[in-house]
Amino acid sequence: MKFLIVTGLSGAGKSQSIKFLEDLGYFCVDNLPPALLGRFVEMCSEGKGDIKKAAIVIDIRVGKFLDHLTVSLDELKASGHTYDILFLEASDETLIKRFKSSRRMHPLSVGGRIINGIKAERRKLQEIKSKATNIIDTTNMSPSELKQEIIHLFVEGGKSEGLIINIISFGFKYGIPLDSDMVFDVRFLPNPYYVEELKRFSGIDEGVRNYVMQWPAAVEFMNKLTDMVEFLIPHFIKEGKSQIVIAIGCTGGRHRSVTMANMLSNKLKETSHRVIVEHRDIEEEKYR
C-alpha cells in the first residue's frame, strides 16, 4: 500500500491536488481527523489489494484534533506502515489574493483579518512541515502547472530532484515581487515602448523580441545571467532549496523584462531545468 498525507496552508491548492491525485488512481479522503488515521490505513491494508494507493487530506480544518497528528503518524510508523507527506504552501500575498477573489474566510480568521489567520496557521503547521517528504510552493503556479508537478512527484518515479525555477517579469512602477530571491533590472536596454510600431506589442511578440536582442548589451547580459544562474543552481540544491524566484524588471513590465524572462527560461529548459514563467504586469501597459 502507498499512503500519502496531503497537508499545508489553506488556499495553497490542497483541494486541487486531491482532485489530481484522484485522477491518478488514488483513493482520496478529505479532512480526516488524525485520530482515525491508523484505523483508516488498517482498513485499506485489509482490503485484499482493492486499494493500492491512498491520499488523505489532514489540515487546520480538524481544529484541536490537529494536535494529535504527530502522535498518529508515529503510531503509524511504529506499526510498520510507510507514508509520504506532501505539504503545500504559498506566499502571504498570494494567499490573501486567493481568499479575496473567492470571497471566503480563512478558517482561523473568522471575524478578523486574513493575514492574522495565515500567520496563525503557519505556526500551527510548522511541525508537520518539518516532516514533509515533498513541499510544493504554489505561489506562481497555475492549476495545470501544479498538476504537472504532482505527476512528476507521484507518477514519474519519486522525489523531486533539483529546483523549480520561477521566472517573473515585472514593471518597477508596480513594485518588485515580494517573494523574489533575485532581482535583475533591464532598464539599461533601449525601450521598445518608444518605437511607435512596437509600443502596443509585448516581449512575447517577435518584433519586440528582435528589437531588444539586437543590442550587444542584451546578448551579453543574457549570457552572463544564464551562466550565473547555472552556477548557483547546484549551490541552492545543496542548501536544501526546492524553489527559487528570479524577477526581471523593466519600467512597465511589458517589453524588455518579458523578452529577457522568456529568453532565460528557454536557455534553462535546454539544460533540463524545470522552469515556470509568469509575466506579472504584461497587461498593465497594454492600453496606455
Side-chain angles (χ1 to χ4, degrees):
M1 271 295 297
K2 185 174 182 179
F3 294 103
L4 175 64
I5 312 296
V6 180
T7 187
L9 299 171
S10 301
K14 297 189 300 296
S15 296
Q16 290 178 328
S17 298
I18 206 71
K19 290 177 183 177
F20 298 149
L21 288 165
E22 194 168 32
D23 292 341
L24 296 174
Y26 279 78
F27 181 84
C28 299
V29 177
D30 191 12
N31 202 21
L32 182 75
L36 299 179
L37 181 59
R39 180 56 187 145
F40 172 77
V41 171
E42 289 178 7
M43 290 172 61
C44 292
S45 300
E46 293 168 359
K48 298 180 179 179
D50 294 335
I51 300 175
K52 293 182 172 57
K53 49 188 180 180
I56 308 103
V57 178
I58 301 176
D59 57 28
I60 202 68
R61 291 172 296 165
V62 299
K64 63 181 181 180
F65 296 112
L66 186 66
D67 297 336
H68 193 73
L69 180 56
T70 299
V71 175
S72 296
L73 292 175
D74 290 341
E75 291 174 348
L76 205 59
K77 186 174 292 186
S79 62
H81 295 289
T82 59
Y83 56 83
D84 289 322
I85 299 175
L86 170 63
F87 190 96
L88 291 113
E89 64 176 356
S91 69
D92 290 352
E93 181 185 27
T94 298
L95 294 174
I96 291 171
K97 287 181 179 178
R98 289 175 183 173
F99 275 105
K100 284 187 174 294
S101 64
S102 67
R103 299 184 179 181
R104 296 185 62 193
M105 292 294 297
H106 189 281
L108 297 183
S109 65
V110 178
R113 297 178 61 203
I114 294 174
I115 186 62
N116 293 335
I118 293 171
K119 289 181 178 179
E121 186 176 26
R122 286 192 190 277
R123 290 193 297 269
K124 287 180 177 291
L125 296 177
Q126 188 172 358
E127 183 177 4
I128 188 62
K129 181 181 178 181
S130 68
K131 299 177 182 294
T133 313
N134 298 102
I135 298 174
I136 299 179
D137 187 328
T138 65
T139 298
N140 300 307
M141 281 188 174
S142 66
S144 61
E145 289 166 339
L146 174 57
K147 183 175 183 178
Q148 289 304 310
E149 181 63 10
I150 287 175
I151 291 173
H152 173 80
L153 290 175
F154 302 111
V155 175
E156 296 177 352
K159 300 178 181 178
S160 173
E161 295 182 357
L163 291 170
I164 299 174
I165 303 171
N166 293 277
I167 303 174
I168 304 175
S169 68
F170 73 95
F172 276 96
K173 65 166 66 175
Y174 305 111
I176 297 173
L178 295 177
D179 56 344
S180 305
D181 293 301
M182 293 180 280
V183 178
F184 297 96
D185 185 347
V186 294
R187 289 177 292 185
F188 66 92
L189 296 171
N191 192 349
Y193 180 84
Y194 297 109
V195 179
E196 189 59 37
E197 60 268 28
L198 299 177
K199 180 177 182 178
R200 298 294 181 183
F201 294 94
S202 76
I204 293 175
D205 298 294
E206 183 178 3
V208 173
R209 184 170 64 252
N210 291 342
Y211 178 86
V212 172
M213 296 309 299
Q214 72 177 314
W215 309 105
V219 176
E220 184 177 1
F221 171 81
M222 181 50 56
N223 290 336
K224 289 185 175 182
L225 176 59
T226 303
D227 287 343
M228 184 180 70
V229 173
E230 290 280 15
F231 167 78
L232 289 172
I233 286 172
H235 295 282
F236 281 134
I237 294 173
K238 185 177 180 180
E239 186 187 350
K241 281 183 173 290
S242 60
Q243 182 180 47
I244 59 171
V245 179
I246 302 172
I248 302 177
C250 60
T251 304
R254 182 165 172 81
H255 298 102
R256 293 166 290 180
S257 62
V258 172
T259 297
M260 289 300 183
N262 285 340
M263 291 290 293
L264 179 60
S265 170
N266 292 337
K267 285 181 173 292
L268 293 176
K269 285 179 179 178
E270 288 175 0
T271 48
S272 300
H273 293 299
R274 289 182 294 148
V275 182
I276 298 171
V277 180
E278 176 190 355
H279 302 303
R280 193 192 70 177
D281 300 323
I282 194 170
E283 295 298 320
E284 294 290 343
E285 298 285 307
K286 189 172 184 179
Y287 301 107
R288 291 176 181 267

